[in-house]
Amino acid sequence: MGRPIIECEHVASGYPGNPLMRDVSFTVEEGEIVFILGGSGCGKTTLLKHIIGQLPPLGGHIRLFGREVAEADGPARDALLRTFGMMYQSGALFGNLSVLDNVLLPLEEFSPYPPALREAIARLKLAQVGLLDRADALPAELSGGQIKRAAIARAMALDPRLLFLDEPSAGLDPVTSASIDTLIRSLSRDLGITIVIISHELASINAIADRVIYLDRAAGGVLDQGTPAQLRAHSPHAAIRAFFNRSPAPTP
């Protein structure tokens, strides 16, 4: 592990008139795979929108690679946005474009390379996620797992140092989910990408998480954080131990 890649300091999260969290503070270090958990409606996806600059927080500070997200504008903001890639839960592929053309989109928009090199890079990204043989397919012709892989390939198109994955295993069978876990771990290990994942898939968390950050709306921020093993055995919060041990939630 290395220097902080993401720094959230006293972040008030939510929307004007609808605060979700009062004080969220944590860091994500270089090379980590970090899962962000929390109950439904606690604001995990909203917090992610704050971090990637889609939605300004209600307060506090968010820094990526040492740069304040809220203060970046113009060319500085464009440069900051290109330091990370984002995979949305649904995949968000364009249905009228081939898999290859979907991966090419960010390269065509932001890279200075000639067309032949852009296509070579896109094909390399598809090869990295095991999908090169489906380059000419349309999204409707892909399985659920293949859609997730294509979306990850597109998120990696500009060689980001940081990758955000929103529910990468949602809706997948256990075998396909395990294959996505293996892919995520290999991307982290082989390419040195820092990865932040929103997910409640316990098998995935136990398989690949370096650390877990557990949000709680009642607490107004981070209820606990640590490795899955630490939280399973030693969290002072019964609800967190129940989650990691797959036991019934304690009665209030």
Side-chain angles (χ1 to χ4, degrees), residues 185-214:
R185 175 55 79 187
S186 69
L187 294 175
S188 172
R189 181 187 61 240
D190 300 339
L191 301 179
I193 301 174
T194 303
I195 301 176
V196 175
I197 302 170
I198 292 179
S199 176
H200 284 101
E201 299 290 335
L202 189 56
S204 297
I205 294 165
N206 287 328
I208 64 173
D210 294 315
R211 194 157 51 89
V212 173
I213 295 167
Y214 200 105

PDB file of all heavy atoms in Angstrom, residues 185-214:
ATOM      1  N   ARG A 185      -9.312  -8.665  -9.006  1.00  0.00           N
ATOM      2  CA  ARG A 185      -8.059  -8.898  -8.277  1.00  0.00           C
ATOM      3  C   ARG A 185      -6.859  -8.857  -9.221  1.00  0.00           C
ATOM      4  O   ARG A 185      -5.817  -8.278  -8.891  1.00  0.00           O
ATOM      5  CB  ARG A 185      -8.125 -10.235  -7.536  1.00  0.00           C
ATOM      6  CG  ARG A 185      -6.829 -10.635  -6.827  1.00  0.00           C
ATOM      7  CD  ARG A 185      -6.329  -9.583  -5.868  1.00  0.00           C
ATOM      8  NE  ARG A 185      -7.044  -9.596  -4.616  1.00  0.00           N
ATOM      9  CZ  ARG A 185      -6.878  -8.686  -3.661  1.00  0.00           C
ATOM     10  NH1 ARG A 185      -6.032  -7.688  -3.851  1.00  0.00           N
ATOM     11  NH2 ARG A 185      -7.559  -8.743  -2.544  1.00  0.00           N
ATOM     12  N   SER A 186      -6.995  -9.421 -10.411  1.00  0.00           N
ATOM     13  CA  SER A 186      -5.866  -9.428 -11.350  1.00  0.00           C
ATOM     14  C   SER A 186      -5.571  -8.016 -11.860  1.00  0.00           C
ATOM     15  O   SER A 186      -4.408  -7.644 -12.041  1.00  0.00           O
ATOM     16  CB  SER A 186      -6.138 -10.381 -12.516  1.00  0.00           C
ATOM     17  OG  SER A 186      -7.170  -9.896 -13.349  1.00  0.00           O
ATOM     18  N   LEU A 187      -6.606  -7.202 -12.083  1.00  0.00           N
ATOM     19  CA  LEU A 187      -6.383  -5.826 -12.513  1.00  0.00           C
ATOM     20  C   LEU A 187      -5.640  -5.039 -11.441  1.00  0.00           C
ATOM     21  O   LEU A 187      -4.737  -4.254 -11.739  1.00  0.00           O
ATOM     22  CB  LEU A 187      -7.713  -5.144 -12.826  1.00  0.00           C
ATOM     23  CG  LEU A 187      -8.499  -5.678 -14.026  1.00  0.00           C
ATOM     24  CD1 LEU A 187      -9.843  -4.979 -14.135  1.00  0.00           C
ATOM     25  CD2 LEU A 187      -7.706  -5.516 -15.318  1.00  0.00           C
ATOM     26  N   SER A 188      -6.012  -5.266 -10.193  1.00  0.00           N
ATOM     27  CA  SER A 188      -5.346  -4.580  -9.091  1.00  0.00           C
ATOM     28  C   SER A 188      -3.896  -5.036  -8.972  1.00  0.00           C
ATOM     29  O   SER A 188      -2.980  -4.206  -8.860  1.00  0.00           O
ATOM     30  CB  SER A 188      -6.093  -4.859  -7.785  1.00  0.00           C
ATOM     31  OG  SER A 188      -5.378  -4.361  -6.673  1.00  0.00           O
ATOM     32  N   ARG A 189      -3.690  -6.326  -9.024  1.00  0.00           N
ATOM     33  CA  ARG A 189      -2.344  -6.878  -8.827  1.00  0.00           C
ATOM     34  C   ARG A 189      -1.426  -6.600 -10.013  1.00  0.00           C
ATOM     35  O   ARG A 189      -0.291  -6.148  -9.848  1.00  0.00           O
ATOM     36  CB  ARG A 189      -2.451  -8.393  -8.600  1.00  0.00           C
ATOM     37  CG  ARG A 189      -1.105  -9.089  -8.350  1.00  0.00           C
ATOM     38  CD  ARG A 189      -1.274 -10.588  -8.299  1.00  0.00           C
ATOM     39  NE  ARG A 189      -1.787 -11.106  -9.569  1.00  0.00           N
ATOM     40  CZ  ARG A 189      -2.929 -11.768  -9.692  1.00  0.00           C
ATOM     41  NH1 ARG A 189      -3.683 -11.997  -8.638  1.00  0.00           N
ATOM     42  NH2 ARG A 189      -3.317 -12.213 -10.872  1.00  0.00           N
ATOM     43  N   ASP A 190      -1.918  -6.846 -11.232  1.00  0.00           N
ATOM     44  CA  ASP A 190      -1.059  -6.774 -12.413  1.00  0.00           C
ATOM     45  C   ASP A 190      -0.863  -5.353 -12.930  1.00  0.00           C
ATOM     46  O   ASP A 190       0.190  -5.035 -13.492  1.00  0.00           O
ATOM     47  CB  ASP A 190      -1.633  -7.644 -13.540  1.00  0.00           C
ATOM     48  CG  ASP A 190      -1.734  -9.110 -13.147  1.00  0.00           C
ATOM     49  OD1 ASP A 190      -1.017  -9.526 -12.207  1.00  0.00           O
ATOM     50  OD2 ASP A 190      -2.527  -9.839 -13.769  1.00  0.00           O
ATOM     51  N   LEU A 191      -1.871  -4.495 -12.755  1.00  0.00           N
ATOM     52  CA  LEU A 191      -1.797  -3.139 -13.300  1.00  0.00           C
ATOM     53  C   LEU A 191      -1.622  -2.078 -12.221  1.00  0.00           C
ATOM     54  O   LEU A 191      -1.446  -0.903 -12.533  1.00  0.00           O
ATOM     55  CB  LEU A 191      -3.057  -2.833 -14.125  1.00  0.00           C
ATOM     56  CG  LEU A 191      -3.331  -3.772 -15.304  1.00  0.00           C
ATOM     57  CD1 LEU A 191      -4.611  -3.369 -16.017  1.00  0.00           C
ATOM     58  CD2 LEU A 191      -2.166  -3.796 -16.281  1.00  0.00           C
ATOM     59  N   GLY A 192      -1.714  -2.475 -10.961  1.00  0.00           N
ATOM     60  CA  GLY A 192      -1.519  -1.528  -9.875  1.00  0.00           C
ATOM     61  C   GLY A 192      -2.637  -0.519  -9.722  1.00  0.00           C
ATOM     62  O   GLY A 192      -2.424   0.587  -9.213  1.00  0.00           O
ATOM     63  N   ILE A 193      -3.855  -0.879 -10.170  1.00  0.00           N
ATOM     64  CA  ILE A 193      -4.986   0.044 -10.092  1.00  0.00           C
ATOM     65  C   ILE A 193      -5.599   0.001  -8.692  1.00  0.00           C
ATOM     66  O   ILE A 193      -5.802  -1.070  -8.127  1.00  0.00           O
ATOM     67  CB  ILE A 193      -6.052  -0.324 -11.139  1.00  0.00           C
ATOM     68  CG1 ILE A 193      -5.460  -0.280 -12.553  1.00  0.00           C
ATOM     69  CG2 ILE A 193      -7.242   0.617 -11.058  1.00  0.00           C
ATOM     70  CD1 ILE A 193      -6.420  -0.777 -13.621  1.00  0.00           C
ATOM     71  N   THR A 194      -5.886   1.170  -8.142  1.00  0.00           N
ATOM     72  CA  THR A 194      -6.641   1.269  -6.896  1.00  0.00           C
ATOM     73  C   THR A 194      -8.125   1.134  -7.249  1.00  0.00           C
ATOM     74  O   THR A 194      -8.599   1.772  -8.184  1.00  0.00           O
ATOM     75  CB  THR A 194      -6.363   2.615  -6.217  1.00  0.00           C
ATOM     76  OG1 THR A 194      -4.954   2.748  -6.006  1.00  0.00           O
ATOM     77  CG2 THR A 194      -7.098   2.716  -4.885  1.00  0.00           C
ATOM     78  N   ILE A 195      -8.859   0.302  -6.498  1.00  0.00           N
ATOM     79  CA  ILE A 195     -10.237  -0.014  -6.873  1.00  0.00           C
ATOM     80  C   ILE A 195     -11.170   0.206  -5.677  1.00  0.00           C
ATOM     81  O   ILE A 195     -10.915  -0.296  -4.584  1.00  0.00           O
ATOM     82  CB  ILE A 195     -10.356  -1.466  -7.389  1.00  0.00           C
ATOM     83  CG1 ILE A 195      -9.439  -1.661  -8.611  1.00  0.00           C
ATOM     84  CG2 ILE A 195     -11.805  -1.804  -7.746  1.00  0.00           C
ATOM     85  CD1 ILE A 195      -9.409  -3.083  -9.140  1.00  0.00           C
ATOM     86  N   VAL A 196     -12.238   0.955  -5.916  1.00  0.00           N
ATOM     87  CA  VAL A 196     -13.280   1.188  -4.904  1.00  0.00           C
ATOM     88  C   VAL A 196     -14.572   0.577  -5.432  1.00  0.00           C
ATOM     89  O   VAL A 196     -14.990   0.862  -6.556  1.00  0.00           O
ATOM     90  CB  VAL A 196     -13.467   2.683  -4.627  1.00  0.00           C
ATOM     91  CG1 VAL A 196     -14.635   2.914  -3.669  1.00  0.00           C
ATOM     92  CG2 VAL A 196     -12.178   3.281  -4.056  1.00  0.00           C
ATOM     93  N   ILE A 197     -15.201  -0.263  -4.604  1.00  0.00           N
ATOM     94  CA  ILE A 197     -16.364  -1.034  -5.037  1.00  0.00           C
ATOM     95  C   ILE A 197     -17.525  -0.787  -4.079  1.00  0.00           C
ATOM     96  O   ILE A 197     -17.363  -0.856  -2.857  1.00  0.00           O
ATOM     97  CB  ILE A 197     -16.045  -2.543  -5.063  1.00  0.00           C
ATOM     98  CG1 ILE A 197     -14.864  -2.821  -6.001  1.00  0.00           C
ATOM     99  CG2 ILE A 197     -17.266  -3.361  -5.476  1.00  0.00           C
ATOM    100  CD1 ILE A 197     -14.338  -4.253  -5.905  1.00  0.00           C
ATOM    101  N   ILE A 198     -18.692  -0.508  -4.652  1.00  0.00           N
ATOM    102  CA  ILE A 198     -19.930  -0.502  -3.873  1.00  0.00           C
ATOM    103  C   ILE A 198     -20.610  -1.850  -4.098  1.00  0.00           C
ATOM    104  O   ILE A 198     -20.930  -2.204  -5.238  1.00  0.00           O
ATOM    105  CB  ILE A 198     -20.852   0.641  -4.295  1.00  0.00           C
ATOM    106  CG1 ILE A 198     -20.241   1.985  -3.903  1.00  0.00           C
ATOM    107  CG2 ILE A 198     -22.233   0.498  -3.659  1.00  0.00           C
ATOM    108  CD1 ILE A 198     -21.069   3.175  -4.287  1.00  0.00           C
ATOM    109  N   SER A 199     -20.806  -2.595  -3.042  1.00  0.00           N
ATOM    110  CA  SER A 199     -21.403  -3.939  -3.183  1.00  0.00           C
ATOM    111  C   SER A 199     -21.775  -4.477  -1.810  1.00  0.00           C
ATOM    112  O   SER A 199     -21.158  -4.127  -0.799  1.00  0.00           O
ATOM    113  CB  SER A 199     -20.407  -4.884  -3.860  1.00  0.00           C
ATOM    114  OG  SER A 199     -20.919  -6.203  -3.915  1.00  0.00           O
ATOM    115  N   HIS A 200     -22.797  -5.359  -1.812  1.00  0.00           N
ATOM    116  CA  HIS A 200     -23.144  -6.102  -0.603  1.00  0.00           C
ATOM    117  C   HIS A 200     -22.880  -7.594  -0.781  1.00  0.00           C
ATOM    118  O   HIS A 200     -23.319  -8.398   0.036  1.00  0.00           O
ATOM    119  CB  HIS A 200     -24.629  -5.887  -0.259  1.00  0.00           C
ATOM    120  CG  HIS A 200     -24.913  -4.560   0.351  1.00  0.00           C
ATOM    121  ND1 HIS A 200     -25.456  -3.517  -0.369  1.00  0.00           N
ATOM    122  CD2 HIS A 200     -24.687  -4.079   1.594  1.00  0.00           C
ATOM    123  CE1 HIS A 200     -25.579  -2.465   0.429  1.00  0.00           C
ATOM    124  NE2 HIS A 200     -25.129  -2.782   1.623  1.00  0.00           N
ATOM    125  N   GLU A 201     -22.196  -7.975  -1.866  1.00  0.00           N
ATOM    126  CA  GLU A 201     -21.948  -9.384  -2.145  1.00  0.00           C
ATOM    127  C   GLU A 201     -20.888  -9.903  -1.181  1.00  0.00           C
ATOM    128  O   GLU A 201     -19.690  -9.672  -1.354  1.00  0.00           O
ATOM    129  CB  GLU A 201     -21.502  -9.561  -3.594  1.00  0.00           C
ATOM    130  CG  GLU A 201     -22.515  -9.097  -4.622  1.00  0.00           C
ATOM    131  CD  GLU A 201     -23.741 -10.003  -4.672  1.00  0.00           C
ATOM    132  OE1 GLU A 201     -23.625 -11.185  -4.310  1.00  0.00           O
ATOM    133  OE2 GLU A 201     -24.820  -9.508  -5.064  1.00  0.00           O
ATOM    134  N   LEU A 202     -21.334 -10.637  -0.161  1.00  0.00           N
ATOM    135  CA  LEU A 202     -20.427 -11.073   0.897  1.00  0.00           C
ATOM    136  C   LEU A 202     -19.316 -11.969   0.367  1.00  0.00           C
ATOM    137  O   LEU A 202     -18.159 -11.862   0.802  1.00  0.00           O
ATOM    138  CB  LEU A 202     -21.211 -11.788   1.998  1.00  0.00           C
ATOM    139  CG  LEU A 202     -20.451 -12.133   3.280  1.00  0.00           C
ATOM    140  CD1 LEU A 202     -19.816 -10.889   3.887  1.00  0.00           C
ATOM    141  CD2 LEU A 202     -21.378 -12.811   4.283  1.00  0.00           C
ATOM    142  N   ALA A 203     -19.636 -12.846  -0.585  1.00  0.00           N
ATOM    143  CA  ALA A 203     -18.604 -13.726  -1.137  1.00  0.00           C
ATOM    144  C   ALA A 203     -17.504 -12.915  -1.810  1.00  0.00           C
ATOM    145  O   ALA A 203     -16.308 -13.214  -1.653  1.00  0.00           O
ATOM    146  CB  ALA A 203     -19.227 -14.704  -2.139  1.00  0.00           C
ATOM    147  N   SER A 204     -17.886 -11.883  -2.547  1.00  0.00           N
ATOM    148  CA  SER A 204     -16.899 -11.028  -3.205  1.00  0.00           C
ATOM    149  C   SER A 204     -16.068 -10.263  -2.183  1.00  0.00           C
ATOM    150  O   SER A 204     -14.847 -10.125  -2.325  1.00  0.00           O
ATOM    151  CB  SER A 204     -17.593 -10.052  -4.153  1.00  0.00           C
ATOM    152  OG  SER A 204     -18.262 -10.731  -5.189  1.00  0.00           O
ATOM    153  N   ILE A 205     -16.733  -9.741  -1.168  1.00  0.00           N
ATOM    154  CA  ILE A 205     -16.023  -8.993  -0.133  1.00  0.00           C
ATOM    155  C   ILE A 205     -14.977  -9.870   0.532  1.00  0.00           C
ATOM    156  O   ILE A 205     -13.810  -9.481   0.690  1.00  0.00           O
ATOM    157  CB  ILE A 205     -17.027  -8.456   0.909  1.00  0.00           C
ATOM    158  CG1 ILE A 205     -17.937  -7.412   0.260  1.00  0.00           C
ATOM    159  CG2 ILE A 205     -16.299  -7.858   2.112  1.00  0.00           C
ATOM    160  CD1 ILE A 205     -19.172  -7.085   1.078  1.00  0.00           C
ATOM    161  N   ASN A 206     -15.370 -11.076   0.909  1.00  0.00           N
ATOM    162  CA  ASN A 206     -14.427 -11.980   1.563  1.00  0.00           C
ATOM    163  C   ASN A 206     -13.298 -12.416   0.634  1.00  0.00           C
ATOM    164  O   ASN A 206     -12.177 -12.682   1.078  1.00  0.00           O
ATOM    165  CB  ASN A 206     -15.162 -13.211   2.095  1.00  0.00           C
ATOM    166  CG  ASN A 206     -16.009 -12.909   3.324  1.00  0.00           C
ATOM    167  OD1 ASN A 206     -15.655 -12.048   4.125  1.00  0.00           O
ATOM    168  ND2 ASN A 206     -17.120 -13.609   3.474  1.00  0.00           N
ATOM    169  N   ALA A 207     -13.596 -12.485  -0.661  1.00  0.00           N
ATOM    170  CA  ALA A 207     -12.603 -12.983  -1.614  1.00  0.00           C
ATOM    171  C   ALA A 207     -11.546 -11.950  -1.966  1.00  0.00           C
ATOM    172  O   ALA A 207     -10.361 -12.296  -2.116  1.00  0.00           O
ATOM    173  CB  ALA A 207     -13.298 -13.472  -2.888  1.00  0.00           C
ATOM    174  N   ILE A 208     -11.927 -10.673  -2.116  1.00  0.00           N
ATOM    175  CA  ILE A 208     -10.965  -9.728  -2.703  1.00  0.00           C
ATOM    176  C   ILE A 208     -10.775  -8.423  -1.938  1.00  0.00           C
ATOM    177  O   ILE A 208      -9.876  -7.650  -2.283  1.00  0.00           O
ATOM    178  CB  ILE A 208     -11.350  -9.389  -4.160  1.00  0.00           C
ATOM    179  CG1 ILE A 208     -12.692  -8.655  -4.232  1.00  0.00           C
ATOM    180  CG2 ILE A 208     -11.354 -10.635  -5.025  1.00  0.00           C
ATOM    181  CD1 ILE A 208     -13.044  -8.148  -5.635  1.00  0.00           C
ATOM    182  N   ALA A 209     -11.573  -8.149  -0.913  1.00  0.00           N
ATOM    183  CA  ALA A 209     -11.461  -6.855  -0.230  1.00  0.00           C
ATOM    184  C   ALA A 209     -10.195  -6.782   0.609  1.00  0.00           C
ATOM    185  O   ALA A 209      -9.924  -7.671   1.422  1.00  0.00           O
ATOM    186  CB  ALA A 209     -12.678  -6.608   0.651  1.00  0.00           C
ATOM    187  N   ASP A 210      -9.415  -5.719   0.421  1.00  0.00           N
ATOM    188  CA  ASP A 210      -8.339  -5.411   1.355  1.00  0.00           C
ATOM    189  C   ASP A 210      -8.900  -4.734   2.597  1.00  0.00           C
ATOM    190  O   ASP A 210      -8.401  -4.930   3.703  1.00  0.00           O
ATOM    191  CB  ASP A 210      -7.305  -4.490   0.698  1.00  0.00           C
ATOM    192  CG  ASP A 210      -6.566  -5.164  -0.444  1.00  0.00           C
ATOM    193  OD1 ASP A 210      -6.149  -6.316  -0.274  1.00  0.00           O
ATOM    194  OD2 ASP A 210      -6.404  -4.536  -1.499  1.00  0.00           O
ATOM    195  N   ARG A 211      -9.938  -3.941   2.386  1.00  0.00           N
ATOM    196  CA  ARG A 211     -10.529  -3.200   3.495  1.00  0.00           C
ATOM    197  C   ARG A 211     -11.973  -2.887   3.170  1.00  0.00           C
ATOM    198  O   ARG A 211     -12.345  -2.769   1.997  1.00  0.00           O
ATOM    199  CB  ARG A 211      -9.744  -1.902   3.747  1.00  0.00           C
ATOM    200  CG  ARG A 211     -10.029  -1.208   5.066  1.00  0.00           C
ATOM    201  CD  ARG A 211      -8.851  -0.302   5.466  1.00  0.00           C
ATOM    202  NE  ARG A 211      -8.470   0.582   4.378  1.00  0.00           N
ATOM    203  CZ  ARG A 211      -9.010   1.796   4.196  1.00  0.00           C
ATOM    204  NH1 ARG A 211      -9.956   2.243   5.022  1.00  0.00           N
ATOM    205  NH2 ARG A 211      -8.615   2.558   3.208  1.00  0.00           N
ATOM    206  N   VAL A 212     -12.790  -2.756   4.209  1.00  0.00           N
ATOM    207  CA  VAL A 212     -14.209  -2.447   4.080  1.00  0.00           C
ATOM    208  C   VAL A 212     -14.508  -1.185   4.887  1.00  0.00           C
ATOM    209  O   VAL A 212     -14.041  -1.031   6.016  1.00  0.00           O
ATOM    210  CB  VAL A 212     -15.080  -3.610   4.599  1.00  0.00           C
ATOM    211  CG1 VAL A 212     -16.547  -3.222   4.626  1.00  0.00           C
ATOM    212  CG2 VAL A 212     -14.865  -4.858   3.755  1.00  0.00           C
ATOM    213  N   ILE A 213     -15.276  -0.283   4.271  1.00  0.00           N
ATOM    214  CA  ILE A 213     -15.750   0.917   4.952  1.00  0.00           C
ATOM    215  C   ILE A 213     -17.266   0.785   5.080  1.00  0.00           C
ATOM    216  O   ILE A 213     -17.966   0.685   4.074  1.00  0.00           O
ATOM    217  CB  ILE A 213     -15.377   2.190   4.171  1.00  0.00           C
ATOM    218  CG1 ILE A 213     -13.854   2.348   4.133  1.00  0.00           C
ATOM    219  CG2 ILE A 213     -16.031   3.429   4.792  1.00  0.00           C
ATOM    220  CD1 ILE A 213     -13.371   3.382   3.142  1.00  0.00           C
ATOM    221  N   TYR A 214     -17.763   0.743   6.305  1.00  0.00           N
ATOM    222  CA  TYR A 214     -19.180   0.489   6.566  1.00  0.00           C
ATOM    223  C   TYR A 214     -19.845   1.791   6.987  1.00  0.00           C
ATOM    224  O   TYR A 214     -19.558   2.354   8.035  1.00  0.00           O
ATOM    225  CB  TYR A 214     -19.327  -0.570   7.669  1.00  0.00           C
ATOM    226  CG  TYR A 214     -20.675  -1.235   7.693  1.00  0.00           C
ATOM    227  CD1 TYR A 214     -20.848  -2.530   7.214  1.00  0.00           C
ATOM    228  CD2 TYR A 214     -21.793  -0.576   8.218  1.00  0.00           C
ATOM    229  CE1 TYR A 214     -22.090  -3.150   7.245  1.00  0.00           C
ATOM    230  CE2 TYR A 214     -23.035  -1.180   8.244  1.00  0.00           C
ATOM    231  CZ  TYR A 214     -23.180  -2.472   7.758  1.00  0.00           C
ATOM    232  OH  TYR A 214     -24.418  -3.080   7.785  1.00  0.00           O
TER     233      TYR A 214
END
